[in-house]
Amino acid sequence: MKANNVDKENGNGKGNSVKERFSNSFTARKKEPNFLLSVFVTSIRLFVIALLVIGFACFGALLGVAKAYVDGTPALDIQRIEDQNLTSFIYDKNGELITEYKGLEHRIWAPLEEIPKMIQDALIATEDVRFYAHNGLDYKRLAGAFINNLRSESVQGGSTITQQLIKNTMLSPEQTYKRKIQEAYLAIQLEQEYEKEEILEAYLNTIYLGSGNYGVKAAALNYFGKDLKDLNLRECATLIGITKNPYKYDPRLNFYKRKTPEVTYARTNLVLRLMYENGFITKEQYEEARFNDKFPASTKNEGFVVLEESSHQKLYDYPYFVEYAIEDLIGELMELYGWEGSDGRKKAINLIQTGGLHIYTTLDPEIQKIVEDTIYNYDKYPKTKNSKDSVLRQKQGDRVLDIPQPQAAAVVLDHQTGELRAIVGGRLEPQERFWQNRANLPWAPGSSIKPLAVYAPFIEAGYPGGIIVDDIPVPIKGWDDGGGKGYPSNYSTSKFYGPITTKVAIQHSYNMSAARTLLERVGVEYSMNKLKELGITEPNYVEKGLPSDLALGSDPVNMIEMTAAYGALANKGVYKEPISILKVIDKDGKVLLDNKSQLTLTVFKESTTYILTEYLKNAVANGTGDRALFKNMSIAGKTGTNSDFHGVFFAGYTPYYTATVVIAHDRHSVSLEKDATGGKFAAPLWKAFMEKIHEGLENKPFYDEVPSGVKSVKICAISGKLPTKECDKTTTELFPSDAVPKEECDMHQKITVCAFSGKLPTPYCPEESKVDKSVVVLPKDSIYQQLKDDQLEKVLPGAFRSLDDLEDYDYNDPKYKEAFCPLHNEQWHKGEQQRQELTQAANQLIALVTDNMTRYASYLTQQEANTLNKAVDKLKKALEAEVLQPPKEDDPYYTELPVFQPDKVMAEINNLQQTYNSIFDAEFWDRVNGDNGGNDDNNGNNGNDNSAGSLWWNGGGRGR
Ligand SMILES: [Zn+2]
Ligand SMILES: [Zn+2]
């Protein structure tokens, strides 16, 4: 591509650049006989050089060294000069160009005809005044430099333009005698094969001129905004002045950043003086061009303007993704060519920046844009615990910036292909290249690790120990929290949930269950192996296998790796290595890299990921991840919250994409606001971009049908085994078909209990309160046996440690007190007897009253009848209130019964008696007797009834 540009720029009659002639003549001379001959000839010459050089030293020894150095010299490779100026191109997944890519170097090749004579002269006058006279080496300067440097390791000065060209383009930069001799050897070779003009052209197009500029054309544009032909003498001298020390003499740095323009002025003036002294310019030209002593006030300096802004600093689109892809590609190239270490890395970078590659990435520009916009503009980030932590002063490139905290990052993956679709590495849009990309950094995933390291392996292994996991405060074998209690706390500390299904443990993200399942069921080794297969590389996880990492995600994991691991859950158990590069075409149109080597590995059976996905769907729909939910899409995922609110995480997937988000302070140990959980903050951010990404995508289930390896089985909710008729709590759960429970529940038994207390009936429990009930009886080796009584009562209310000796239970033995109904005791029994007596008496009174009311209805006024009825009703109500029913199913048992309080009943009896007496008084009976004449029977009866009631009442009162 770049070659075309060169031809275009050079595109008049001549039509072929020095470059091409370099290559052509080099190819022609590649034939071996010529080459050997040339080596021979130059070797002879080198002996002559060596003779001169070592005239002051031990002749024989140095001769041998020089010979050895020459033998190790790389072949003269003009290709390496030519290759330096090819721009690469980066494309998105649709093949649309995102950007040209030139690395930080800017090179534009200009043929010598285009380079002003003033520049050529300035260079020769300053660097190599005998350039046109020597044969590649300037023996006079070389000898002088050698003496000067005799006592030091480094060698400098004395180099001709030819030597510098060799040094800049073909050899490693260290300054040793070995390299120096090799450089001299190659310089002589170069001079033999090329014209002086060709060497000069190559030099002026490859020399480094500061601020990333290689060659005078790029530098002229960058510093002055000018084409070469428009430069004046002063500008030419300034450019050449830079070569001696590109950093020190960088005019932009001197004018704007360091405010030391005098450094550039003095250097430019020196170049101009050398040009004048060597006869390249006249005295007038020299005087006209040089800077005055008193600049910059002098009007003479007008018209010399160094541009403040570099034209190179314009950034490409999607920098976070593009730069991740470049990083990815560096690794791929090093592998491809067997390059290693920092040297290999440099080679790879050089190839990307200058190799004219066409790099096709997996980036989806629509998705990338959505995620960028969301992360950059989101306004619901949590606060830091202390407001002073809400910004962090950080260096980014040349700038120092106040970075808002906490920071955030997100990754979106097409899990079916392993192709990364979007990467956003921070809340700020990058202002220059290679800003910190947090998406490619490790972050603590918190509980988001549980499905990967604990539960998927647990299901894959067939739920060893059963589907029920135990969330109880019993020390976990292998859990070392530094002399603590031997198990981790749940988020709501001090609460434990007893026997729970795997589904529920995930839904509420219980730490205790996860740690116990890892260490007592899954095993660290198996967990580590699965994580390795899922592409996790963090040593704490896959080498050390720290339980606090595998179960709770305490230490950081690379976020791209986390995303790809979740991608395997979404992709039915098949892990796809995450890739950002689809293919790379080299400058000749050949495929350099494609994705055929992408690692694909089946880590879990489809039945495992089906079941886990059901659990993770539930965790989003009903659990900690509910804020990730959006309409019309299947969603599975898991929150993560770090201890002390050190950051939040969410990892989740739809049938289309897998994505992760993190929100945390750049200093991981800084706390966010209280209650900053993954559910509260990471899940909604995940939803914010995923909902937009899925707009217009059809909703579909994760699986078209239940995989054949999955069975749905009804089990006892306590033991996890097949339910018997004694099991009072069952649940239907998913199993890999080879892990379906076959044994029947061994924890439930039926015994007779008191329906009010759920405990063994006492001799006082009423017969009608005795019912059959399922109770939990712990097997001898049950882990629950290790709980203290009060702990057991909390997680398994009413459980028995053993029923073996139930028949020996003696109500009168205090040892068994806890097993018996505490409600129906002797005190209750006495009260109950009293209640029965009172009830009997009250019923007798009611019978008397209602009987007489009926019999003598005609003697009663309506008002009197009403008054009596009211008093009867109130007494009946008082009696009813004292009768207690057993608790309904699912209601808790009574822990105490109201002790019978006779006062209320007695008060109502009293009231009824008095009401009766005041209405059926003597006057009443006179009236009745008057009407009935000699009906003694009635009179007598009434009188007797009346007095009997009174007598009873007085007796009852006393009895109390
Ligand atoms: Zn059971
Ligand atoms: Zn009872």
Side-chain angles (χ1 to χ4, degrees):
M1 198 68 188
K2 194 62 205 168
N4 290 342
N5 286 346
V6 170
D7 285 346
K8 240 176 264 164
E9 283 159 10
N10 193 26
N12 43 26
K14 232 179 156 196
N16 47 4
S17 65
V18 170
K19 267 174 59 187
E20 283 172 341
R21 276 176 282 136
F22 264 10
S23 308
N24 292 341
S25 54
F26 177 65
T27 313
R29 279 167 186 263
K30 218 172 173 180
K31 289 172 188 166
E32 272 196 11
N34 277 353
F35 182 73
L36 286 177
L37 182 67
S38 130
V39 169
F40 178 73
V41 170
T42 41
S43 297
I44 298 288
R45 280 170 186 251
L46 211 79
F47 279 132
V48 178
I49 300 160
L51 275 173
L52 284 169
V53 165
I54 63 178
F56 304 93
C58 174
F59 179 83
L62 268 185
L63 193 67
V65 172
K67 172 77 170 66
Y69 287 171
V70 168
D71 289 346
T73 305
L76 178 65
D77 184 0
I78 295 303
Q79 201 69 29
R80 289 185 53 182
I81 299 176
E82 186 195 10
D83 274 351
Q84 305 228 347
N85 61 342
L86 290 176
T87 299
S88 291
F89 299 86
I90 299 180
Y91 305 89
D92 66 22
K93 86 177 198 0
N94 308 315
E96 300 287 334
L97 182 69
I98 299 172
T99 181
E100 294 186 3
Y101 193 78
K102 299 183 263 196
L104 292 168
E105 303 180 1
H106 304 275
R107 307 162 183 275
I108 312 170
W109 192 281
L112 197 64
E113 303 81 61
E114 201 187 309
I115 300 174
K117 185 79 167 40
M118 290 182 290
I119 286 186
Q120 302 177 29
D121 291 344
L123 177 68
I124 290 165
T126 314
E127 296 292 326
D128 188 2
V129 76
R130 281 180 288 277
F131 174 66
Y132 280 105
H134 63 63
N135 69 339
L137 300 182
D138 189 340
Y139 302 115
K140 196 171 150 193
R141 279 172 71 187
L142 193 62
F146 180 81
I147 299 159
N148 287 340
N149 290 285
L150 201 55
R151 273 159 296 179
S152 75
E153 269 294 300
S154 75
V155 180
Q156 44 182 286
S159 291
T160 63
I161 285 172
T162 319
Q163 282 171 288
Q164 288 186 40
L165 177 61
I166 295 287
K167 180 182 79 179
N168 294 342
T169 54
M170 288 181 206
L171 295 172
S172 57
E174 82 268 22
Q175 299 233 313
T176 62
Y177 283 110
K178 175 181 174 183
R179 198 201 50 75
K180 198 79 188 158
I181 287 172
Q182 290 177 344
E183 173 192 301
Y185 173 76
L186 290 170
I188 293 166
Q189 247 192 308
L190 195 66
E191 289 269 352
Q192 282 181 331
E193 297 180 24
Y194 296 95
E195 301 296 329
K196 290 282 183 189
E197 288 74 17
E198 292 171 318
I199 292 169
L200 196 59
E201 179 182 313
Y203 184 94
L204 287 168
N205 278 297
T206 54
I207 185 69
Y208 183 54
L209 292 170
S211 288
N213 297 297
Y214 286 81
V216 290
K217 183 163 182 170
L221 275 171
N222 184 243
Y223 291 129
F224 303 118
K226 285 185 174 182
D227 280 336
L228 287 171
K229 64 177 167 35
D230 300 323
L231 293 177
N232 59 38
L233 176 57
R234 178 186 294 154
E235 288 161 341
C236 291
T238 301
L239 286 184
I240 292 303
I242 298 169
T243 59
K244 185 180 166 70
N245 184 336
Y247 182 73
K248 181 178 176 187
Y249 297 118
D250 183 322
R252 180 173 294 116
L253 293 180
N254 282 338
F255 276 69
Y256 299 106
K257 202 149 246 173
R258 297 192 284 248
K259 313 260 187 229
T260 54
E262 64 276 7
V263 174
T264 289
Y265 295 148
R267 179 70 188 160
T268 303
N269 284 355
L270 176 65
V271 173
L272 289 167
R273 187 163 61 79
L274 288 169
M275 289 178 79
Y276 164 61
E277 285 174 3
N278 287 292
F280 291 112
I281 54 174
T282 64
K283 177 140 185 146
E284 288 70 33
Q285 282 177 301
Y286 170 56
E287 291 295 343
E288 173 67 23
R290 71 189 291 268
F291 291 95
N292 271 354
D293 294 339
K294 304 279 180 205
F295 32 67
S298 165
T299 52
K300 284 189 73 179
N301 296 332
E302 283 171 9
F304 180 83
V305 179
V306 175
L307 302 178
E308 186 166 3
E309 282 297 317
S310 168
S311 54
H312 301 149
Q313 281 167 0
K314 230 177 68 192
L315 196 61
Y316 31 73
D317 286 338
Y318 322 125
Y320 285 125
F321 193 105
V322 165
E323 287 165 6
Y324 175 82
I326 288 167
E327 198 57 42
D328 202 2
L329 183 54
I330 289 170
E332 293 285 329
L333 290 173
M334 287 174 72
E335 200 172 307
L336 180 69
Y337 291 109
W339 293 337
E340 283 175 355
S342 61
D343 224 43
R345 192 181 154 79
K346 254 183 238 159
K347 284 181 190 165
I349 292 171
N350 192 53
L351 179 56
I352 297 168
Q353 290 175 341
T354 64
L357 306 181
H358 295 262
I359 301 157
Y360 292 86
T361 71
T362 60
L363 177 141
D364 184 322
E366 277 177 47
I367 294 179
Q368 175 74 20
K369 194 87 186 50
I370 288 171
V371 183
E372 282 183 5
D373 288 346
T374 306
I375 301 278
Y376 297 162
N377 301 315
Y378 195 65
D379 59 1
K380 296 188 189 72
Y381 289 111
K383 295 181 176 60
T384 51
K385 183 180 172 191
N386 297 316
S387 58
K388 71 173 172 56
D389 293 322
S390 63
V391 288
L392 184 61
R393 192 154 286 192
Q394 270 179 328
K395 202 159 181 284
Q396 288 275 8
D398 288 340
R399 313 153 196 245
V400 173
L401 290 173
D402 284 334
I403 309 282
Q405 301 291 339
Q407 269 294 322
V411 178
V412 181
L413 174 83
D414 178 340
H415 48 248
Q416 281 167 6
T417 59
E419 293 171 16
L420 292 158
R421 291 290 182 241
I423 296 172
V424 178
R427 283 170 61 184
L428 293 181
E429 192 170 0
Q431 301 300 307
E432 57 189 61
R433 289 182 174 205
F434 292 99
W435 271 34
Q436 188 175 38
N437 187 351
R438 295 169 186 80
N440 195 23
L441 287 179
W443 297 95
S447 297
S448 300
I449 199 73
K450 290 173 184 168
L452 302 173
V454 180
Y455 293 114
F458 184 46
I459 301 166
E460 180 80 2
Y463 296 119
I467 195 172
I468 299 292
V469 296
D470 306 307
D471 198 85
I472 50 173
V474 169
I476 300 169
K477 223 178 146 190
W479 185 270
D480 182 11
D481 54 358
K485 44 199 189 304
Y487 52 81
S489 298
N490 283 325
Y491 179 71
S492 48
T493 48
S494 81
K495 213 166 169 216
F496 300 98
Y497 301 90
I500 48 176
T501 60
T502 304
K503 178 180 175 178
V504 168
I506 296 173
Q507 177 179 343
H508 298 297
S509 198
Y510 296 141
N511 290 337
M512 163 67 79
S513 325
R516 192 179 300 286
T517 305
L518 170 77
L519 287 164
E520 296 179 354
R521 309 281 191 86
V522 175
V524 166
E525 205 62 32
Y526 188 66
S527 171
M528 280 200 304
N529 284 338
K530 284 299 170 195
L531 283 188
K532 257 184 240 169
E533 290 177 6
L534 290 169
I536 304 292
T537 59
E538 176 56 48
N540 281 337
Y541 286 79
V542 296
E543 285 167 27
K544 292 184 195 155
L546 304 177
S548 61
D549 284 337
L550 298 176
L552 308 180
S554 301
D555 278 314
V557 183
N558 178 283
M559 204 164 153
I560 303 275
E561 290 179 5
M562 273 299 285
T563 315
Y566 262 81
L569 302 183
N571 194 36
K572 304 183 177 174
V574 180
Y575 171 77
K576 291 264 182 183
E577 181 187 6
I579 55 170
S580 61
I581 307 278
L582 284 174
K583 63 177 174 185
V584 177
I585 309 287
D586 74 7
K587 64 178 164 44
D588 302 320
K590 277 184 279 189
V591 176
L592 193 63
L593 282 170
D594 55 28
N595 56 1
K596 287 200 184 91
S597 63
Q598 182 191 17
L599 178 69
T600 297
L601 183 68
T602 301
V603 181
F604 297 115
K605 293 183 285 247
E606 198 177 334
S607 54
T608 298
T609 54
Y610 174 84
I611 294 170
L612 187 67
T613 298
E614 287 298 307
Y615 294 162
L616 294 179
K617 271 162 68 181
N618 178 58
V620 171
N622 307 309
T624 54
D626 59 347
R627 288 189 180 88
L629 217 54
F630 56 90
K631 273 185 193 156
N632 299 321
M633 191 50 63
S634 305
I635 299 169
K638 185 71 198 75
T639 54
T641 305
N642 289 311
S643 55
D644 301 324
F645 307 113
H646 285 169
V648 296
F649 204 94
F650 189 83
Y653 50 92
T654 69
Y656 296 94
Y657 297 106
T658 298
T660 55
V661 295
V662 68
I663 304 172
H665 199 281
D666 279 333
R667 289 201 187 115
H668 293 197
S669 60
V670 173
S671 289
L672 307 185
E673 64 181 81
K674 196 174 176 297
D675 297 330
T677 61
K680 200 165 164 189
F681 289 104
L685 176 58
W686 187 91
K687 172 194 169 174
F689 62 77
M690 285 297 262
E691 188 168 23
K692 287 193 192 122
I693 288 171
H694 286 79
E695 256 169 39
L697 290 177
E698 184 200 349
N699 192 9
K700 56 182 181 184
F702 284 107
Y703 294 76
D704 292 334
E705 52 187 23
V706 181
S708 57
V710 174
K711 289 246 154 48
S712 188
V713 182
K714 191 171 165 188
I715 54 164
C716 167
I718 304 297
S719 68
K721 298 180 178 175
L722 296 175
T724 65
K725 59 184 189 311
E726 274 76 43
C727 295
D728 56 349
K729 251 194 208 161
T730 59
T731 172
T732 300
E733 301 292 326
L734 296 170
F735 289 83
S737 43
D738 55 359
V740 169
K742 293 187 177 64
E743 292 169 31
E744 288 199 332
C745 175
D746 54 355
M747 286 178 83
H748 279 108
Q749 293 191 29
K750 207 157 263 184
I751 59 168
T752 301
V753 294
C754 170
F756 288 86
S757 63
K759 300 206 166 182
L760 295 179
T762 68
Y764 302 108
C765 289
E767 206 50 44
E768 65 272 17
S769 79
K770 291 179 187 172
V771 292
D772 279 349
K773 180 202 163 197
S774 290
V775 291
V776 171
V777 181
L778 300 178
K780 281 229 157 38
D781 57 352
S782 167
I783 189 172
Y784 291 85
Q785 298 279 16
Q786 297 175 46
L787 292 170
K788 292 187 197 115
D789 285 348
D790 58 328
Q791 292 173 326
L792 181 61
E793 187 58 29
K794 267 185 201 150
V795 297
L796 277 179
F800 289 86
R801 292 185 189 273
S802 153
L803 274 190
D804 290 352
D805 45 3
L806 188 61
E807 307 218 326
D808 299 338
Y809 277 35
D810 177 358
Y811 178 63
N812 295 314
D813 187 339
K815 188 165 84 176
Y816 300 113
K817 196 172 163 242
E818 288 293 321
F820 284 94
C821 173
L823 308 172
H824 300 119
N825 52 19
E826 195 178 355
Q827 192 198 353
W828 173 85
H829 181 67
K830 277 182 183 157
E832 186 63 10
Q833 278 177 325
Q834 195 181 21
R835 187 179 70 82
Q836 278 168 7
E837 282 168 16
L838 265 184
T839 304
Q840 206 176 7
N843 285 336
Q844 280 173 10
L845 179 60
I846 289 169
L848 168 78
V849 172
T850 49
D851 189 44
N852 279 345
M853 278 176 74
T854 313
R855 197 181 294 184
Y856 305 108
S858 56
Y859 296 91
L860 293 168
T861 64
Q862 188 60 45
Q863 197 191 345
E864 284 168 336
N866 286 348
T867 307
L868 284 166
N869 278 331
K870 214 187 249 173
V872 167
D873 285 348
K874 276 172 84 180
L875 177 55
K876 282 182 176 168
K877 230 175 222 151
L879 292 171
E880 275 169 26
E882 292 295 333
V883 177
L884 210 57
Q885 298 300 326
K888 292 199 184 77
E889 205 182 343
D890 293 337
D891 281 351
Y893 289 112
Y894 291 106
T895 50
E896 54 183 351
L897 291 180
V899 177
F900 176 59
Q901 303 290 341
D903 297 22
K904 220 176 143 197
V905 177
M906 286 200 282
E908 293 303 333
I909 290 175
N910 200 12
N911 178 47
L912 178 57
Q913 182 75 55
Q914 281 173 9
T915 308
Y916 175 82
N917 286 350
S918 67
I919 291 170
F920 289 83
D921 55 3
E923 195 189 327
F924 178 87
W925 294 120
D926 284 351
R927 212 162 57 233
V928 171
N929 291 334
D931 276 3
N932 291 343
N935 190 340
D936 290 344
D937 200 29
N938 268 340
N939 186 18
N941 279 347
N942 287 324
N944 287 340
D945 284 346
N946 186 10
S947 82
S950 291
L951 279 174
W952 172 83
W953 164 237
N954 289 335
R958 272 196 309 274
R960 188 177 171 260

